[in-house]
Amino acid sequence: MSYDLTQLGWNAFQDLACAVTAEVLKRPVQMFLGSNDGGRDGAFLGTWNGDSGETAKSTIQCIGKPGANLTLAALQDELPKAATLAKQGLAEDYVIMTNGGVSGEADAQICKAFEAAGVKTCRVLGGSWIEQQLAENAKLRMLIPRGVWDW
């Protein structure tokens, strides 16, 4: 079973990405309005790799790239926002989620640029990672609109 995440509109993809994050991290994820989000589609307390006992604030940014691979060039407008978020203490982890593909080279370039902008840890999670989470979790599959399923 596979899923065509490109069939989701921007808001539906953001909702799904934040739900996947909440389920994987086992903690609440806050979602923000589509306008005036301050460079954050979602946020969570703590870090991706577990809770070290410290309260950290992390950011989720969803980037729709239907039918395309994500590149650093596509994220140039996000870098200044990420730098501001890091200065405000809101980007311990900066998680970029896309419904497109992500190459290993692009992942390295993107993370290097965002970490140079001040975020502590950058993570890029592509459509294949999201699809894997959906395949492994029945609870998450219930959130997928039927038109996205590819039987």
Side-chain angles (χ1 to χ4, degrees), residues 9 60 150:
I60 301 167
D150 184 12

Side-chain angles (χ1 to χ4, degrees), residues 13 17-18 21 39-42 44 48 58-65 69-79 82 85 91 93-102 106-115 117 119 121-130:
F13 174 67
C18 287
T21 303
R40 300 186 300 161
D41 292 325
F44 57 94
W48 192 271
S58 296
T59 290
I60 301 167
Q61 186 64 33
C62 300
I63 306 292
K65 294 298 290 182
N69 290 336
L70 186 65
T71 63
L72 177 57
L75 296 169
Q76 289 303 311
D77 291 345
E78 301 300 326
L79 283 167
L85 293 168
D93 273 329
Y94 190 89
V95 181
I96 300 167
M97 301 184 78
T98 180
N99 55 358
V102 180
D107 175 78
Q109 292 169 357
I110 291 166
C111 289
K112 182 178 179 180
F114 277 82
E115 289 167 4
V119 303
T121 305
C122 176
R123 299 170 196 289
V124 182
L125 304 172
S128 60
W129 182 87
I130 296 169

Side-chain angles (χ1 to χ4, degrees), residues 30-44:
Q30 181 179 7
M31 293 175 28
F32 299 107
L33 297 172
S35 60
N36 300 320
D37 65 9
R40 300 186 300 161
D41 292 325
F44 57 94

Side-chain angles (χ1 to χ4, degrees), residues 6-25:
T6 65
Q7 296 297 311
L8 293 174
W10 175 83
N11 192 52
F13 174 67
Q14 178 181 316
D15 290 349
L16 180 62
C18 287
V20 168
T21 303
E23 181 66 17
V24 169
L25 294 177

